[in-house]
Structures are given as structure tokens and as C-alpha cells.
Amino acid sequence: MIRHYIKWFISNMAFIGAFLVCCGFIIAENTPAPQSIGVALVFLHPIFNGGIKTGLKHLYTNKYALAMVLYYLLILLSFFHGGNMALYNQLIVMQLPLIFIPFGLSGIKSLKPDQKIIIFAALIASVTIAGIASFINYLVYFDEIQERITRSKPIPIVTGINHIYYSVLLAFSAGILQWQIFVTGIQNKLYKRAAWTALIVIIILLHTISARTGLLCFYAEAGASILWLIFKSGKIMLGLSIALGLGILAFATTKIIPSEKNRFDNTKLDLHKYESGDNINHYSLSMRFEALKVGWAVFEKNILTGVGPANVPDAMFNQYAIENSQLIISNRIKPHNEFLYALVSMGIIGAASLCFMMFLPVFSGAVFLNYLFLMFIVVCLTAFQVEYLLERQVGITFFCLFYILLSGMDKRSKNGNMELHPN
């Protein structure tokens, strides 16, 4: 009996690992253990199921996996920049999913179709449960949290996950549910009701406790979804109806939902502060604009190879001082844009590698055949404009897991089953 369970565990290490990663997203800020263990299990899967040589062969034949490996190698090469080697060591460990996950999931039999659906369900369930608990907390401390919003402070997520990363997970979860409801179709009535319920709850959470980043990601992927339904699926009326509904939703929520109204008003005040040259300390959007300006100045001094990922904090701090920024030291943040962050840290070479990885699915045409992969790329590209998503464990594991998993998904049947295959 024990031998049977051990055999099952070994043959399903990639699934167990991916499941742990998804369940660990919402608690990663408190304990990274589930994600760390999950990534390790994904990595070990091909070693115990075919051997290292077979795993490397699958990795070598997967262009998406190779793009991720290339980006990691550039991070490793930043060793030659010198500087803060303690931070360098932390970064290369944190970025290991760029190697471990593609190695573990590049094989054709790494995950079964039903296992992928369970992984998606684990993500949706975890972010929904965390969201409902946070929404209840928001209602209990309504006045206090509303006041925080007027000062550009986030609505806290009870599990401890950063509110921006949580919002990105929420938006992508909505994309998964849209895929299941509108594209693949759900035959089982119970599952269909559950999917609709989850989608409605997530939309409510996005418009009440989500960060602005999550809303941007949601409406960006919704726009892509509408275009897919109209031009790819030929469901013109459905696409137009969704577009009309989302337009009404976007307008109405800024008028009637207190948190959304306060966030919208705070955004206008934030922009006014920056444009008028007022004191922008503690105004998140204005601070980000200042960080983008300072980050660009750092890049202009180190165009080809950047300053090195481990030296970004020091380089930014020095540039803030040179420009005599009005921001106090605690507000002198790094550039919240993944592409600019890559330019600052690894120069044009690093940014080109990042762009290659991100736009490879577009150049290869994969996103025009794979709805869910398109939703993922749209969410990531949108989040990259306002956040350095790949610089935290939650962000890097989210990106690596779903980038490599979705890049190998191909619709094979009308019931929505998906199969992983080498690209």
C-alpha cells in the first residue's frame, strides 16, 4: 500500500508542486514554504520520471522554456557588475523558478488535462476565499479603510499577500472563468453555476477591494475577450453585449461603490498633485511617476548592460539624491514598470530578452489560437506597466507557472479538455 502511494507521488510530482504553488500565492508574504516546496517538486518531476537527460531534451525543444532560461542566465551574468553581492545571491535564488518550472513542465506528460483544471480551480478558490474574508474585514472596518483609501493606502488582504499582486491574481482568475464559460463551454450545470458564481464574486471583489492594477488588468483582458468572441468565435451579439455591460459597470461603480469612488477621486487628486508640482509624498501614483523619471535617468547612464539587478536600489537612491527629489527617503521607490526595471537592471540586452519572452507567443501566433494564453499575456503586459511583477516570489512563480503551462495548451476537443505538448 505504501509503495503504491509513493509511486503515485513520484509520478505526480509536477501536479502536486503546481497545486502547492497555486495554494501558496495568497500566503507567500507570510510563509514562502508552499511555493518553494511546490517549485522544487515541479523541478524534480522529470528527474524521477524519465531522467535528467529526457528533461533537458524536452526543455531544449520548447522555445518558450528556452526564452525563460535565457532571461535567467542574464540575471546570473549580472554577477560581473559586482556591488551588493548579498542581494545578488537572494535574487538568483528567488528567480530560480525561471529555470525550475520550465524544466519540470516542458515534458508532454508532466500534467494531465484534469490536473490542469484542478490547478486552475485551486487558484480561483484560494483568491476567492481570501477575497471574501478581506471583503468582510473591509465592511467591519469600513470607515477606517475608506480613510486609508483617500491617503493612497491599500485595502488590506487578510492573508498578508501584497494587494497589487493579489489583484493581478484576481484579474487572471476572472480570465480563466471567462474561458470556461464563454469559450470552452461547461456542460455540467452544477459546475456552470459554480463558475458563474465565482466570476460574479471576483468581479465584485475587483471593484471593491482590488488595487487599481487589478482593475486595469481585468478591463484589458475583458477587451481582448470581447475581440476574441466577435472576430474569432463569431459570437458578435455576445461580444457586444459584454462590451455594453462592462461599460455600464465601469461607469456605475465609480459612482455608487464607496471604495471605487474614493479610489477614482484619489487618482484625480494624485495626478493634480504631480502636474501642479505640489508635495507628492505619500501619493502613490505621483511617486511612481517620479520613480519612472529617476529610473530612466539611471538607464541613460548604463544603456547597454544596466547597473545589475542587485544594484538597482543603490543606483536609484543615488539618482534621487542627484536630482534633489522632494520625496522623503522612505518614499523613494524603485521604478514600478517591469520593462523599465529591466532597462535599469540589465540594460538594453536585458530588456530585449524580456520583450522576446513576452512577445514570443504573439510572434509565434500562439495567442491567436489559445484564448487563455492570450488572457495571461494581456494581464501580464498590463501589470508590467505599473508594477515590477517579476521581482517578488509571488510574481515570478505566477508568471513562470502559467507562462509555461499555457504555452503548451492546445484545444483538442469540444469539451474543453486541454493537452500539454512540446512546442
Side-chain angles (χ1 to χ4, degrees), residues 236-305:
I236 299 175
M237 291 307 298
L238 176 60
L240 293 176
S241 298
I242 293 174
L244 178 61
L246 286 174
I248 295 172
L249 178 67
F251 176 79
T253 52
T254 59
K255 301 296 182 181
I256 62 176
I257 295 181
S259 60
E260 191 74 0
K261 185 178 183 301
N262 280 2
R263 194 178 289 113
F264 183 71
D265 292 340
N266 177 258
T267 299
K268 291 193 294 183
L269 175 61
D270 206 328
L271 291 172
H272 173 74
K273 288 277 186 180
Y274 187 79
E275 292 171 351
S276 63
D278 288 349
N279 184 0
I280 61 173
N281 276 289
H282 307 298
Y283 285 89
S284 62
L285 196 58
S286 295
M287 287 163 50
R288 289 172 186 236
F289 287 149
E290 183 75 1
L292 293 177
K293 184 182 72 173
V294 172
W296 185 260
V298 174
F299 161 66
E300 288 182 321
K301 296 178 181 179
N302 307 271
I303 293 177
L304 187 60
T305 61

